[in-house]
Amino acid sequence: MQSLGVTGGAGLAYGALSTLGLAPATAQVPFRSPAMGDLIGKAGSGASVVILGGGPAGLCAAYELGKAGYDVTVLEARKRPGGRVWSVRNGTTETDLNGETQTCTFAEGHYFNLGATRIPQGHITLDYCRELGVEVQPFGNQNANTLVNYQSATPISGQSVQYRAAKADMYGYLSELLQKAASRGALDDVLTGDDKEALASFLRDFGDLSSDGRYLGSTRRGYESEPGAGLNFGDQRKPFAMSDTIRSGLGRNFSFEFGYDQAMMMMTPVGGMDRIYTAFQRAIGNDRIRFGAEVSALRNTPGGVRVEYTRDGAKQAVDADYCICTLPPNLVGRLATNLPADVLTALKAAVPVSSGKLGIEYSRRWWELEDRIYGGATNTDKDIAQIMFPYDHYHGERGVVVGYYNTGKRHQAFESLTHRQRLAKAVAEGSAIHGEKYGRDIASAFSGSWRRTRYSEGAWVGWSGSDAHGGVATPEYTKLLAPVERVYFAGDHLSNAIAWQHGAFTSARDVVTALHARVAA
Amino acid sequence: MQSLGVTGGAGLAYGALSTLGLAPATAQVPFRSPAMGDLIGKAGSGASVVILGGGPAGLCAAYELGKAGYDVTVLEARKRPGGRVWSVRNGTTETDLNGETQTCTFAEGHYFNLGATRIPQGHITLDYCRELGVEVQPFGNQNANTLVNYQSATPISGQSVQYRAAKADMYGYLSELLQKAASRGALDDVLTGDDKEALASFLRDFGDLSSDGRYLGSTRRGYESEPGAGLNFGDQRKPFAMSDTIRSGLGRNFSFEFGYDQAMMMMTPVGGMDRIYTAFQRAIGNDRIRFGAEVSALRNTPGGVRVEYTRDGAKQAVDADYCICTLPPNLVGRLATNLPADVLTALKAAVPVSSGKLGIEYSRRWWELEDRIYGGATNTDKDIAQIMFPYDHYHGERGVVVGYYNTGKRHQAFESLTHRQRLAKAVAEGSAIHGEKYGRDIASAFSGSWRRTRYSEGAWVGWSGSDAHGGVATPEYTKLLAPVERVYFAGDHLSNAIAWQHGAFTSARDVVTALHARVAA
């Protein structure tokens, strides 16, 4: 079994080879941080780097370069680190681009992540949590007790069905159908007798089929009343009919939990995803990060870079040897720059995606008390798309439910609403799924739309006109992977894990490696 | 959507009806604790109940009766509460029935649950955690990064395959085969055109099929090297061949995670399952629990019960109005009793199941560092059956892995071994799956076999000769649901959740309800 580790190894050596064209650019490179000793006695010792943006890419780059003694300066427009990693809690105040100001009044200790909220086991985000001492806990990304609720031309339309029931029926009928086809000989050109025997054995178990190969329901569906002691065998829920199950599309979201970056176990920092960035901030040092610094100009100069910014109403400038620009690509074009026209065109090819969340603080954990839900999400084809249940404060008195996390058109339905209207729409749709209790015991709420959020104006970008999370080797994307003289671009938008912190970190590491190799050369 | 709640409601009223034969005995009864006011002025006020066994059933019964002012006395042979709920930690000492003594030397804060370790969302065990203030956390019961490793007559035999890869391939080929059969018209007698269209749409997504309906691998399988930034699209792992995938039986354990009582999310108390029983102990009061009390006799007397026991070498006795016997059914026959012969015969029909666990403390969390596993279990057809990874101390320096949790023949292979031999066998089998690192960095270990554990002599019981967890309406089982004069039987063995705390609790509640109704009458 191959190790999945992506850390460790000799990054600098490879980086040097890579810039000489001796190593394939697409190979997996184990990253090694630049180290203090690498440049001793070299001309580049103590090179200065100005980093635009204090989100995941910017802070990761500053942190890694700092290890080797680079003179780094991070300029961040917001008053907090993390960028689109934003944990909203008591006291969080934001005025959005609609002009509306919200202030969060959640009870102490409660929060929700308006941006990134979960970490797959394979992502180097977890390595940074370990390295920076950020405590992690499981994130409920799958739950048999959460609900699906979809419209269809079947009697199931608009019904709230537990995932466990939807899965049992779908897998049951799927198994029954395949077993029937195989036993009829319909697949004899592709299945041997041994294959058929092994398949039948799998399907019996996978679909919970009867001895004659039929799906007649399953304890996996759940019970009207739970089995207990004595002769209380529970009151098993009846399955839906086969045709209704299939045509209702109950299984349309099953594959989510097999996804490479969504399959359990998933993790998240205790207390909020932004804990990673306050930890980065501590490790980098406050003297190296200027918050409230709105960058206005970025120029290559002879032998360096010059960045202008406004802070507390005053124009200021930083001159440095290099710049790493991690600003959203859609915002770079607004700066005064001397970047070439083809670079500016390439930046415009990154199209901001519409997405956002609404956090609803309830003073009663009805999802535990009544629906017996401990984390995970309910899915629907309504505009809210999903309802995400908290993965903390189990059995507490209150909790924050994410009333929607949606993208594209379904988020746009909320984007231009006032916060109060968003809450009303979310509660109406949520009540149609979880019942009247969804509208009761609401203590407070907070919402955000990334396209209407200053300094971001997008949740992430799509290179191909979609909201897909993969990088693409288009000329525009590829163009931005190379530095423009002394200006480097980094961010999740230049990775194959767009919208993931992992993408921002790997991009930052690539740039750090390339920059360090250049300085060392 | 129906609420799944099983608590609350009017237990006493129902209990009274039930004893009069006016309510069906098998109906789901919302439980209501006996309350202090129920018996005011009644003859039974202050009735005394002696409870044999301080495990889940015994402590639950004592707790619930205590609420109504019953004079309860719990006799527990062990020096700790919880019975088969046993969290092994630093200082735990046990001499087993093989005569071997082990003392646990795990680092402070580390433990494993040698008995019950997980709680499904639907079980009333969680309600007791809430009521008693026992903090809970998610239990990793499913993980795409853990491994399967099985013998077969295919090239996959003995290979360690990540669950995510096994699932992707199995679901991919399953989908391809069913799509092929359906598009050939082989199922036209059971599928309409609409059905087929909806099914095709589901299968494309579920199996990650190509546009022409074939499974050609999937990102869901994982990568040799993780996708990163720039043009690093990752190095996708190739799928196994269809026939090999099917015949290897890679999918034999997939249904585990759909099981009614195993599907995520699963929960567990922070710090050990025994926290529930130290909380019960506090709530009941130490003055009402006699630890180290080995019961030797149980007799109905005119108007009461008499229980004899040995404590600190001294013979003692308790006289009470009623007795609730929660001892393992296989041990009751050894007491001096005046129970009728048919009851003693019925108790013998409960056959103890062989099961146990081995906890291995590692001083390095290789499963996180190298295999990127954060909880969940590896499955195999070797004797160890499974390797369970810790759900706590993430990113810490050390952790306790459960090196086996197995039942029946596969556990019997360990039962008569010395602890040192068990560890050696477990490490040999585990190393064949997770590699040589499995044998390194072992700091200590502790093992237990329930059939060789004093006061239990079984992990749980099977009524039908199997290790199934369901109650059965056999004459023997049914016989024990009724009291013998003033002696009641309770325990998970008299429930439809055998081996689960839920079973013990529901059984205890049934007995408490029946006893209280009798006293109130």
Side-chain angles (χ1 to χ4, degrees):
Chain A
M1 138 91 210
Q2 289 254 346
S3 163
L4 294 175
V6 288
T7 52
L12 177 58
Y14 178 86
L17 288 177
S18 185
T19 54
L20 293 171
L22 297 180
T26 59
Q28 176 74 357
V29 191
F31 174 73
R32 198 197 63 185
S33 273
M36 195 59 92
D38 292 347
L39 299 179
I40 287 175
K42 295 236 178 185
S45 229
S48 61
V49 183
V50 58
I51 296 170
L52 313 189
L59 293 187
C60 175
Y63 172 72
E64 295 294 356
L65 288 169
K67 289 177 181 171
Y70 282 80
D71 173 17
V72 297
T73 303
V74 178
L75 301 177
E76 168 54 53
R78 294 180 166 102
K79 300 290 171 69
R80 59 167 182 84
R84 282 167 291 147
V85 176
W86 186 22
S87 304
V88 172
R89 53 174 69 83
N90 194 290
T92 299
T93 291
E94 180 82 7
T95 301
D96 67 18
L97 295 173
N98 294 347
E100 182 171 7
T101 300
Q102 294 175 60
T103 299
C104 179
T105 62
F106 295 164
E108 203 53 45
H110 290 267
Y111 72 93
F112 76 109
N113 293 311
L114 216 152
T117 194
R118 50 195 155 200
I119 313 175
Q121 295 169 109
H123 280 187
I124 57 174
T125 313
L126 282 177
D127 300 279
Y128 279 116
C129 289
R130 185 190 294 110
E131 186 166 330
L132 296 166
V134 175
E135 193 188 349
V136 298
Q137 65 189 340
F139 178 89
N141 211 32
Q142 176 182 333
N143 194 330
N145 279 3
T146 52
L147 307 177
V148 293
N149 184 303
Y150 305 119
Q151 298 301 310
S152 66
T154 74
I156 304 172
S157 182
Q159 281 194 50
S160 290
V161 181
Q162 284 190 319
Y163 257 105
R164 66 168 76 246
K167 269 193 199 174
D169 287 359
M170 200 67 203
Y171 292 177
Y173 291 124
L174 191 79
S175 299
E176 175 178 327
L177 287 169
L178 182 52
Q179 179 52 31
K180 193 186 291 275
S183 64
R184 283 174 175 180
L187 295 162
D188 280 359
D189 55 329
V190 286
L191 294 176
T192 67
D194 281 356
D195 293 345
K196 283 167 72 170
E197 201 176 305
L199 183 64
S201 161
F202 172 77
L203 294 174
R204 256 196 310 276
D205 176 63
F206 182 70
D208 204 3
L209 302 185
S210 65
S211 56
D212 62 346
R214 291 163 66 209
Y215 175 68
L216 304 169
S218 169
T219 61
R220 297 172 190 166
R221 290 195 102 258
Y223 298 82
E224 292 296 338
S225 66
E226 182 93 7
L231 301 179
N232 171 14
F233 297 105
D235 181 10
Q236 210 172 297
R237 293 209 173 99
K238 302 280 174 296
F240 292 121
M242 182 172 75
S243 173
D244 293 341
T245 301
I246 295 171
R247 285 184 303 119
S248 66
L250 280 181
R252 69 183 73 177
N253 197 49
F254 288 178
S255 71
F256 172 80
E257 69 191 44
F258 319 142
Y260 182 62
D261 44 20
Q262 296 287 1
M264 291 289 271
M265 297 295 296
M266 300 286 287
M267 308 298 288
T268 196
V270 173
M273 192 65 88
D274 64 351
R275 294 289 161 94
I276 299 176
Y277 302 93
T278 50
F280 266 124
Q281 184 184 341
R282 271 194 303 276
I284 293 163
N286 272 331
D287 53 321
R288 294 171 160 210
I289 308 176
R290 296 183 198 164
F291 289 106
E294 287 191 38
V295 173
S296 55
L298 162 60
R299 290 188 187 89
N300 277 292
T301 57
V305 295
R306 161 161 274 236
V307 173
E308 293 167 14
Y309 64 96
T310 307
R311 197 188 191 194
D312 297 328
K315 280 255 174 203
Q316 301 191 40
V318 185
D319 292 300
D321 297 323
Y322 301 95
C323 174
I324 300 176
C325 175
T326 73
L327 303 182
N330 42 308
L331 300 186
V332 178
R334 295 191 200 156
L335 306 180
T337 71
N338 57 0
L339 295 170
D342 58 350
V343 169
L344 292 171
T345 302
L347 287 161
K348 280 191 194 133
V351 179
V353 168
S354 180
S355 185
K357 291 178 187 167
L358 165 78
I360 309 176
E361 182 195 27
Y362 287 92
S363 60
R364 178 172 173 270
R365 294 175 76 92
W366 55 263
W367 53 95
E368 290 173 357
L369 292 162
E370 295 183 39
D371 293 359
R372 303 194 79 92
I373 288 172
Y374 288 72
T378 280
N379 287 89
T380 178
D381 53 1
K382 299 181 198 297
D383 285 337
I384 54 170
Q386 60 186 314
I387 296 168
M388 301 169 80
F389 295 97
Y391 47 84
D392 61 2
H393 296 285
Y394 299 109
H395 290 169
E397 295 209 339
R398 50 183 60 231
V400 178
V401 168
V402 174
Y404 58 76
Y405 170 36
N406 45 14
T407 57
K409 278 210 168 64
R410 294 206 277 177
H411 185 69
Q412 286 163 34
F414 288 93
E415 211 163 46
S416 56
L417 301 184
T418 64
H419 170 65
R420 186 179 287 269
Q421 290 168 331
R422 290 173 187 166
L423 177 62
K425 179 170 165 65
V427 167
E429 294 189 8
S431 298
I433 301 172
H434 279 277
E436 195 210 354
K437 62 187 181 288
Y438 199 86
R440 289 199 304 264
D441 305 310
I442 295 176
S444 71
F446 191 101
S447 63
S449 281
W450 284 106
R451 289 208 311 179
R452 304 296 169 100
T453 301
R454 213 171 169 207
Y455 307 126
S456 296
E457 300 192 27
W460 59 84
V461 300
W463 287 100
S464 47
S466 79
D467 61 355
H469 292 188
V472 283
T474 58
E476 293 83 6
Y477 177 92
T478 311
K479 157 89 43 193
L480 299 173
L481 300 177
V484 180
E485 299 181 37
R486 286 163 174 267
V487 174
Y488 291 78
F489 296 104
D492 64 294
H493 58 288
L494 295 174
S495 82
N496 298 290
I498 292 178
W500 290 98
Q501 296 165 88
H502 178 81
F505 294 148
T506 51
S507 173
R509 285 174 166 204
D510 277 7
V511 162
V512 162
T513 302
L515 193 156
H516 188 54
R518 178 170 168 180
V519 168
Chain B
M1 134 97 206
Q2 290 254 345
S3 164
L4 294 175
V6 287
T7 51
L12 177 59
Y14 179 86
L17 287 178
S18 184
T19 53
L20 294 170
L22 298 180
T26 59
Q28 178 72 359
V29 190
F31 173 74
R32 199 197 64 184
S33 273
M36 195 60 90
D38 292 349
L39 299 179
I40 288 176
K42 297 237 176 183
S45 225
S48 61
V49 183
V50 58
I51 297 172
L52 312 189
L59 294 188
C60 175
Y63 172 71
E64 295 295 356
L65 288 170
K67 288 177 182 172
Y70 282 81
D71 173 17
V72 297
T73 302
V74 178
L75 302 178
E76 168 54 52
R78 294 180 166 102
K79 301 290 172 69
R80 59 166 183 83
R84 282 167 292 146
V85 175
W86 185 22
S87 304
V88 172
R89 53 173 70 83
N90 194 290
T92 299
T93 291
E94 180 82 7
T95 301
D96 66 19
L97 295 174
N98 295 348
E100 182 171 7
T101 300
Q102 295 176 60
T103 300
C104 179
T105 62
F106 296 164
E108 202 52 44
H110 290 267
Y111 74 93
F112 77 109
N113 294 311
L114 217 152
T117 194
R118 49 195 155 199
I119 313 175
Q121 297 169 108
H123 281 187
I124 57 173
T125 314
L126 283 177
D127 299 278
Y128 279 116
C129 289
R130 185 191 294 109
E131 185 167 331
L132 297 166
V134 176
E135 193 187 350
V136 297
Q137 64 189 340
F139 177 89
N141 211 31
Q142 176 181 336
N143 193 330
N145 279 4
T146 51
L147 307 177
V148 292
N149 184 302
Y150 305 119
Q151 299 299 311
S152 65
T154 74
I156 303 172
S157 181
Q159 279 194 51
S160 290
V161 180
Q162 284 189 318
Y163 257 104
R164 65 169 76 248
K167 270 194 198 172
D169 287 359
M170 200 65 203
Y171 292 177
Y173 291 124
L174 191 79
S175 299
E176 175 178 327
L177 287 168
L178 182 52
Q179 179 51 33
K180 194 188 291 277
S183 63
R184 283 174 175 180
L187 295 162
D188 281 359
D189 56 329
V190 285
L191 295 176
T192 68
D194 281 357
D195 293 345
K196 282 166 73 169
E197 203 176 304
L199 183 64
S201 162
F202 171 77
L203 294 174
R204 257 195 311 277
D205 176 64
F206 182 70
D208 203 3
L209 302 185
S210 65
S211 55
D212 62 345
R214 292 163 65 209
Y215 175 68
L216 304 168
S218 169
T219 60
R220 297 172 190 166
R221 289 195 102 256
Y223 298 83
E224 291 296 338
S225 65
E226 182 94 5
L231 301 178
N232 172 14
F233 297 105
D235 181 10
Q236 211 173 297
R237 293 209 172 100
K238 302 281 173 295
F240 292 121
M242 182 173 75
S243 172
D244 293 341
T245 302
I246 294 171
R247 285 184 302 121
S248 66
L250 280 181
R252 68 183 74 177
N253 198 48
F254 289 179
S255 71
F256 172 79
E257 68 193 44
F258 319 143
Y260 182 62
D261 44 20
Q262 296 288 1
M264 291 288 271
M265 295 296 295
M266 299 287 287
M267 309 299 288
T268 196
V270 173
M273 192 65 88
D274 64 351
R275 295 289 161 94
I276 299 176
Y277 302 93
T278 50
F280 265 123
Q281 184 184 340
R282 270 194 304 276
I284 294 164
N286 272 330
D287 53 321
R288 295 171 159 210
I289 308 177
R290 297 183 196 165
F291 289 106
E294 287 189 40
V295 172
S296 54
L298 161 61
R299 291 188 186 89
N300 276 293
T301 58
V305 295
R306 162 161 273 237
V307 173
E308 293 167 14
Y309 64 96
T310 306
R311 197 186 189 194
D312 297 329
K315 281 253 173 206
Q316 301 191 40
V318 185
D319 291 299
D321 296 322
Y322 300 95
C323 173
I324 300 177
C325 175
T326 73
L327 304 182
N330 43 306
L331 301 187
V332 179
R334 295 192 200 156
L335 307 180
T337 71
N338 58 0
L339 294 171
D342 58 351
V343 169
L344 292 171
T345 302
L347 286 161
K348 280 191 194 132
V351 180
V353 168
S354 179
S355 185
K357 291 179 186 167
L358 165 77
I360 308 176
E361 181 196 26
Y362 288 93
S363 59
R364 178 173 174 270
R365 294 175 75 91
W366 54 263
W367 53 95
E368 289 174 357
L369 292 163
E370 296 183 40
D371 293 358
R372 303 194 77 92
I373 288 171
Y374 289 70
T378 280
N379 287 88
T380 179
D381 53 0
K382 299 181 197 299
D383 285 338
I384 55 170
Q386 61 187 315
I387 296 168
M388 301 170 80
F389 295 97
Y391 47 82
D392 62 0
H393 296 285
Y394 299 110
H395 290 170
E397 295 209 339
R398 52 183 59 232
V400 178
V401 169
V402 174
Y404 58 75
Y405 171 36
N406 46 14
T407 57
K409 277 209 168 64
R410 294 208 276 178
H411 185 70
Q412 287 164 33
F414 288 93
E415 211 163 47
S416 56
L417 302 184
T418 65
H419 171 65
R420 186 180 285 272
Q421 289 168 331
R422 290 174 188 165
L423 178 62
K425 179 170 165 66
V427 166
E429 294 189 10
S431 299
I433 301 172
H434 279 277
E436 193 209 355
K437 62 186 181 289
Y438 199 86
R440 289 199 305 264
D441 305 310
I442 295 177
S444 71
F446 191 101
S447 63
S449 281
W450 285 107
R451 289 207 311 179
R452 304 296 169 100
T453 301
R454 212 171 168 205
Y455 307 126
S456 297
E457 301 193 26
W460 59 85
V461 300
W463 287 101
S464 46
S466 79
D467 61 357
H469 292 189
V472 283
T474 58
E476 295 83 6
Y477 177 93
T478 310
K479 157 93 37 197
L480 299 173
L481 300 178
V484 180
E485 299 181 37
R486 288 165 172 266
V487 174
Y488 292 78
F489 296 103
D492 64 293
H493 58 290
L494 295 175
S495 82
N496 298 291
I498 292 178
W500 291 99
Q501 295 164 89
H502 177 81
F505 294 148
T506 51
S507 172
R509 286 175 166 202
D510 277 7
V511 163
V512 162
T513 301
L515 194 156
H516 188 54
R518 177 169 169 180
V519 168

Coordinates of all heavy atoms in Angstrom, one line a residue, chain A residues 301-338:
Chain A
T301 N 9.1 46.9 -11.0 CA 10.0 48.1 -11.1 C 11.4 47.5 -11.5 O 11.6 46.3 -11.4 CB 10.2 48.9 -9.8 OG1 10.6 47.9 -8.8 CG2 8.8 49.4 -9.3
P302 N 12.3 48.3 -11.9 CA 13.6 47.8 -12.3 C 14.2 47.1 -11.0 O 14.4 47.8 -10.0 CB 14.4 49.0 -12.7 CG 13.4 50.0 -13.1 CD 12.2 49.8 -12.2
G303 N 14.3 45.8 -11.0 CA 15.0 45.1 -9.9 C 14.1 44.8 -8.7 O 14.5 44.4 -7.6
G304 N 12.8 45.1 -8.8 CA 11.9 44.8 -7.7 C 10.4 45.0 -8.0 O 10.0 44.9 -9.2
V305 N 9.6 45.2 -7.0 CA 8.2 45.5 -7.1 C 7.8 46.7 -6.2 O 8.5 46.9 -5.2 CB 7.3 44.3 -6.8 CG1 7.6 43.1 -7.7 CG2 7.6 43.9 -5.3
R306 N 6.8 47.4 -6.6 CA 6.3 48.4 -5.7 C 4.8 48.2 -5.6 O 4.1 48.1 -6.6 CB 6.6 49.8 -6.3 CG 5.7 50.9 -5.7 CD 6.3 52.3 -5.9 NE 7.2 52.6 -4.9 CZ 7.1 53.7 -4.1 NH1 6.2 54.6 -4.3 NH2 8.0 53.9 -3.1
V307 N 4.3 48.2 -4.4 CA 2.9 48.0 -4.1 C 2.4 49.2 -3.3 O 3.0 49.6 -2.3 CB 2.6 46.7 -3.3 CG1 1.2 46.6 -2.9 CG2 3.0 45.5 -4.1
E308 N 1.3 49.8 -3.8 CA 0.7 50.9 -3.1 C -0.6 50.5 -2.4 O -1.3 49.7 -3.0 CB 0.4 52.1 -4.1 CG 1.7 52.7 -4.6 CD 1.4 53.6 -5.8 OE1 0.3 54.0 -6.0 OE2 2.4 54.0 -6.5
Y309 N -0.8 51.0 -1.3 CA -2.1 50.7 -0.6 C -2.5 51.8 0.3 O -1.8 52.7 0.6 CB -1.9 49.4 0.3 CG -0.9 49.5 1.4 CD1 -1.3 49.8 2.7 CD2 0.5 49.3 1.2 CE1 -0.4 49.8 3.7 CE2 1.4 49.4 2.2 CZ 1.0 49.7 3.5 OH 1.9 49.8 4.5
T310 N -3.8 51.7 0.7 CA -4.4 52.7 1.6 C -4.7 52.0 2.9 O -5.2 50.9 3.0 CB -5.7 53.2 1.0 OG1 -5.4 53.7 -0.3 CG2 -6.2 54.4 1.8
R311 N -4.3 52.7 4.0 CA -4.5 52.2 5.3 C -4.9 53.3 6.2 O -4.2 54.3 6.3 CB -3.2 51.5 5.8 CG -3.5 50.5 7.0 CD -2.1 50.1 7.5 NE -2.3 49.0 8.5 CZ -1.4 48.6 9.3 NH1 -0.2 49.1 9.3 NH2 -1.6 47.6 10.1
D312 N -6.0 53.2 6.9 CA -6.5 54.2 7.8 C -6.6 55.6 7.0 O -6.2 56.6 7.5 CB -5.6 54.4 9.0 CG -5.7 53.1 9.9 OD1 -6.7 52.5 9.9 OD2 -4.6 52.8 10.5
G313 N -7.0 55.5 5.7 CA -7.1 56.7 4.9 C -5.8 57.3 4.4 O -5.8 58.2 3.6
A314 N -4.7 56.7 4.7 CA -3.4 57.2 4.2 C -2.8 56.3 3.1 O -2.8 55.1 3.2 CB -2.4 57.3 5.4
K315 N -2.3 56.9 2.1 CA -1.6 56.2 1.0 C -0.3 55.8 1.5 O 0.5 56.5 2.1 CB -1.4 57.2 -0.2 CG -2.6 57.3 -1.0 CD -2.5 56.5 -2.4 CE -3.8 56.6 -3.2 NZ -3.9 55.5 -4.1
Q316 N 0.1 54.5 1.3 CA 1.4 54.0 1.7 C 1.9 53.1 0.6 O 1.2 52.8 -0.4 CB 1.3 53.2 3.0 CG 0.7 54.0 4.1 CD 0.9 53.3 5.5 OE1 1.9 52.7 5.7 NE2 -0.1 53.4 6.3
A317 N 3.2 52.8 0.6 CA 3.8 51.9 -0.4 C 4.8 51.0 0.2 O 5.3 51.3 1.3 CB 4.4 52.8 -1.5
V318 N 4.9 49.8 -0.4 CA 6.0 48.9 0.0 C 6.8 48.6 -1.3 O 6.3 48.3 -2.3 CB 5.4 47.5 0.4 CG1 6.5 46.6 0.9 CG2 4.3 47.7 1.5
D319 N 8.1 48.7 -1.1 CA 9.0 48.2 -2.2 C 9.6 46.9 -1.7 O 10.0 46.8 -0.5 CB 10.1 49.3 -2.4 CG 9.6 50.5 -3.0 OD1 9.0 50.4 -4.1 OD2 9.7 51.6 -2.4
A320 N 9.7 45.9 -2.6 CA 10.2 44.6 -2.2 C 10.9 44.0 -3.4 O 10.8 44.5 -4.5 CB 9.1 43.7 -1.7
D321 N 11.6 42.9 -3.1 CA 12.3 42.2 -4.2 C 11.3 41.4 -5.1 O 11.5 41.3 -6.3 CB 13.4 41.2 -3.7 CG 14.5 42.0 -2.9 OD1 14.9 43.1 -3.4 OD2 14.9 41.5 -1.9
Y322 N 10.3 40.9 -4.4 CA 9.3 40.1 -5.1 C 7.9 40.3 -4.5 O 7.8 40.8 -3.4 CB 9.6 38.6 -4.9 CG 11.0 38.2 -5.5 CD1 12.1 38.1 -4.6 CD2 11.1 37.9 -6.8 CE1 13.3 37.8 -5.1 CE2 12.4 37.6 -7.3 CZ 13.5 37.5 -6.4 OH 14.7 37.2 -6.9
C323 N 6.9 40.0 -5.3 CA 5.5 40.0 -4.9 C 4.9 38.7 -5.1 O 5.1 38.1 -6.2 CB 4.8 41.2 -5.6 SG 3.0 41.2 -5.2
I324 N 4.1 38.3 -4.2 CA 3.2 37.1 -4.4 C 1.7 37.7 -4.3 O 1.4 38.2 -3.2 CB 3.4 36.0 -3.4 CG1 4.8 35.5 -3.5 CG2 2.4 34.9 -3.6 CD1 5.1 34.4 -2.5
C325 N 1.0 37.7 -5.4 CA -0.3 38.3 -5.4 C -1.3 37.1 -5.2 O -1.5 36.3 -6.1 CB -0.5 39.0 -6.7 SG -2.2 39.6 -6.9
T326 N -2.0 37.1 -4.1 CA -3.0 36.1 -3.9 C -4.4 36.6 -3.9 O -5.4 36.0 -3.4 CB -2.8 35.4 -2.5 OG1 -3.2 36.2 -1.4 CG2 -1.4 34.9 -2.3
L327 N -4.6 37.9 -4.4 CA -5.9 38.5 -4.5 C -6.8 37.7 -5.4 O -6.3 37.0 -6.3 CB -5.8 39.9 -4.9 CG -4.9 40.8 -4.1 CD1 -4.9 42.3 -4.7 CD2 -5.3 40.8 -2.6
P328 N -8.1 37.7 -5.2 CA -9.0 37.0 -6.2 C -8.7 37.5 -7.6 O -8.6 38.7 -7.8 CB -10.4 37.4 -5.7 CG -10.2 37.8 -4.3 CD -8.9 38.4 -4.1
P329 N -8.6 36.6 -8.6 CA -8.2 37.1 -9.9 C -9.2 38.1 -10.5 O -8.7 39.0 -11.2 CB -8.3 35.8 -10.7 CG -9.0 34.8 -9.9 CD -8.8 35.2 -8.5
N330 N -10.4 38.1 -10.1 CA -11.4 39.0 -10.6 C -11.2 40.4 -10.0 O -11.8 41.4 -10.5 CB -12.8 38.6 -10.2 CG -13.0 38.0 -8.8 OD1 -12.2 37.1 -8.5 ND2 -13.9 38.5 -8.1
L331 N -10.3 40.6 -9.0 CA -10.1 41.9 -8.4 C -8.8 42.5 -8.8 O -8.6 43.7 -8.7 CB -10.2 41.8 -6.9 CG -11.5 41.3 -6.3 CD1 -11.5 41.5 -4.8 CD2 -12.7 42.1 -6.9
V332 N -7.9 41.7 -9.4 CA -6.5 42.2 -9.7 C -6.6 43.2 -10.8 O -5.9 44.2 -10.8 CB -5.6 41.0 -10.1 CG1 -4.2 41.6 -10.5 CG2 -5.5 40.0 -9.0
G333 N -7.6 43.0 -11.8 CA -7.7 44.0 -12.9 C -8.1 45.4 -12.5 O -7.9 46.4 -13.2
R334 N -8.6 45.5 -11.2 CA -8.9 46.9 -10.8 C -7.8 47.7 -10.2 O -7.9 48.9 -9.9 CB -10.0 46.8 -9.6 CG -11.3 46.2 -10.2 CD -12.3 46.3 -9.1 NE -13.4 45.4 -9.4 CZ -14.3 44.9 -8.5 NH1 -14.2 45.4 -7.2 NH2 -15.2 44.1 -8.8
L335 N -6.7 47.0 -10.0 CA -5.5 47.7 -9.5 C -4.8 48.5 -10.6 O -5.0 48.2 -11.8 CB -4.5 46.7 -8.9 CG -4.9 45.7 -7.9 CD1 -3.8 44.8 -7.5 CD2 -5.5 46.4 -6.7
A336 N -4.1 49.5 -10.2 CA -3.2 50.1 -11.2 C -2.0 49.2 -11.3 O -1.3 49.0 -10.3 CB -2.8 51.5 -10.6
T337 N -1.7 48.7 -12.5 CA -0.6 47.8 -12.6 C 0.1 48.1 -14.0 O -0.4 48.8 -14.8 CB -1.1 46.3 -12.7 OG1 -1.7 46.1 -14.0 CG2 -2.0 45.9 -11.6
N338 N 1.3 47.5 -14.1 CA 1.9 47.5 -15.4 C 2.0 46.0 -15.9 O 3.0 45.7 -16.6 CB 3.3 48.2 -15.4 CG 4.2 47.5 -14.3 OD1 3.9 46.6 -13.6 ND2 5.4 48.1 -14.2

